[in-house]
Amino acid sequence: MDQAVKLIECPRDAMQGWKEIIPTARKVEYLNALLKVGFDTLDCGSFVSPKAIPQMADTKAVIPLLDLSGSRTKLLTIIANERGAADALAFDQITYLGFPFSVSETFQQRNTNSSIAESLGRVGEIQNLCIKSGKQLVVYISMGFGNPYGDPYDPEIVFEWVDKLVAMDIGIISLADTVGLATPEQVASMTKYLVDKLPATEIGVHLHSTPFNQQAKLEAAVQAGCRRFDGALKGIGGCPMANDELVGNMNTEWMIPYFEQLGRLPALNKAALHHCSMLADEIFTGH
C-alpha cells in the first residue's frame, strides 16, 4: 500500500458558522464520538473572540470533557493571537495550535484584526510559546488561491510568505482555499511546488469546494504529493468571516472511500464513523 494519508477532521469549521448555537453537551457528545473513528487530528475548537465566533465561546468548557483514552487522535484548536495561544496552552490535551495566516490584507484584518506583517510577528511569538510548551503550530495559508476583495494575489506572494514562515521553523503549513476559488490546476501547481521545495515541512490542504469540483481538487492535491487533508462530515462549514454560505469543506464521507480505493486510507473504525455520520445529521440537518 502507498503511504497512508493523514485525515484531519474539522468539526470546529463545520460548527463555527452554524447560526443556531449548539449546546456544549451536544458538542462534547459529537467530538467524543469522532475521537473513536481514528482520524489523525481533530480540529475541535478555537480560542478566539466570542463576539467574532460565538459558537466557539465554550471551547474552554468542552476540552476537559473530551475522552482521549484509547484514541490515537490528536487535538487541534484555532488561535488568532498570543492571548488565545496562552488559553490553548493551558490544556495538556491539545497537541496542535492552528493559526490562520492570510495572504489577503483585507481578510487578515477581518479574521484576526491585524495586518499580514503584524500577523507574521504574532506567529513568531506563538511559535516560541509552542516550543517552550512542547506543542506544535500549524499555519493555514488563508486565501491561498486568491481572494474576492481585489487584494494583490499571485502564487509568488504565497511562496514569499511561506518562506518567512519556514524560516521560523513552522513544521506544518496547510494551503487553504478559503472561499473555494481554487482551480484543480492551481491546487496541483502550488501544492507540488511546496511539497518539492520543502521536503522537511509537512504540506497540507484545507480545501473548500462546491460538490461539483471537489473530486478534481482532491485528485490534484494527491497527484502533487500532498498527504495531509482536512475535511468535515457532510461537507459542512467554511469561514463565517468570508461570507460565502455556498462553499463548504471537503466532505469526509466522500474522501474516505476515495482514499480507500487508492489503498491509502489509514485504519478507521467504520462503525464509529457511521455513528458520527448519524450524529452529524441530527446536529446539522435535524434529521
Side-chain angles (χ1 to χ4, degrees):
M1 185 176 82
D2 290 334
Q3 199 169 25
V5 298
K6 287 185 178 181
L7 294 179
I8 288 72
E9 178 65 14
C10 303
R12 182 270 317 165
D13 207 8
M15 292 188 286
Q16 69 178 3
W18 207 247
K19 291 180 172 58
E20 298 176 8
I21 295 296
I22 302 167
T24 299
R26 194 62 157 151
K27 290 176 185 171
V28 171
E29 178 189 15
Y30 186 45
L31 295 172
N32 276 329
L34 289 167
L35 285 169
K36 296 177 181 178
V37 175
F39 295 111
D40 180 85
T41 303
L42 192 65
D43 178 352
C44 63
S46 62
F47 295 95
V48 298
S49 167
K51 292 182 180 178
I53 310 289
Q55 188 72 259
M56 293 290 104
D58 59 353
T59 295
K60 285 184 182 179
V62 167
I63 298 296
L65 299 174
L66 299 184
D67 181 7
L68 291 165
S69 62
S71 176
R72 68 169 182 262
T73 302
K74 299 171 285 291
L75 299 184
L76 179 150
T77 56
I78 297 296
I79 47 89
N81 52 38
E82 293 94 322
R83 183 176 62 184
D87 288 341
L89 293 173
F91 292 93
D92 292 338
Q93 300 96 318
I94 295 171
T95 299
Y96 300 112
L97 277 62
F99 186 92
F101 183 88
S102 179
V103 293
S104 157
E105 199 70 66
T106 300
F107 189 66
Q108 193 66 20
Q109 286 287 352
R110 290 176 61 167
N111 206 28
T112 65
N113 196 31
S114 62
S115 68
I116 301 176
E118 288 170 334
S119 294
L120 187 68
R122 288 185 184 181
V123 169
E125 293 297 325
I126 294 167
Q127 171 72 334
N128 290 334
L129 291 172
C130 286
I131 291 170
K132 291 176 183 176
S133 304
K135 309 290 189 185
Q136 190 164 5
L137 183 58
V138 179
V139 175
Y140 293 90
I141 308 297
S142 302
M143 300 290 175
F145 298 93
N147 65 82
Y149 311 115
D151 291 342
Y153 175 79
D154 185 274
E156 289 301 324
I157 294 175
V158 176
F159 300 148
E160 287 172 9
W161 286 113
V162 168
D163 285 343
K164 291 180 172 65
L165 293 166
V166 171
M168 296 179 179
D169 291 326
I170 305 300
I172 305 175
I173 294 174
S174 190
L175 286 168
D177 185 14
T178 313
V179 287
L181 288 174
T183 65
E185 292 75 20
Q186 274 184 300
V187 173
S189 64
M190 294 183 68
T191 306
K192 181 171 174 51
Y193 177 85
L194 292 179
V195 168
D196 290 348
K197 182 184 179 184
L198 304 171
T201 304
E202 185 174 327
I203 302 298
V205 289
H206 181 101
L207 301 174
H208 290 179
S209 178
T210 54
F212 83 92
N213 64 357
Q214 64 178 359
Q215 180 168 343
K217 287 186 181 183
L218 189 61
E219 287 177 346
V222 170
Q223 291 168 9
C226 183
R227 287 188 53 240
R228 179 186 178 94
F229 297 87
D230 288 18
L233 293 183
K234 310 298 174 186
I236 295 165
C239 182
M241 310 305 285
N243 294 334
D244 191 341
E245 297 181 359
L246 298 178
V247 177
N249 281 288
M250 294 296 282
N251 188 340
T252 303
E253 289 166 291
W254 179 83
M255 287 201 297
I256 284 174
Y258 172 80
F259 285 121
E260 190 169 35
Q261 184 179 15
L262 293 181
R264 301 189 60 186
L265 185 70
L268 298 179
N269 183 326
K270 296 291 185 67
L273 178 66
H274 179 67
H275 177 61
C276 291
S277 180
M278 291 192 299
L279 284 177
D281 275 334
E282 294 173 8
I283 293 169
F284 298 112
T285 68
H287 296 157

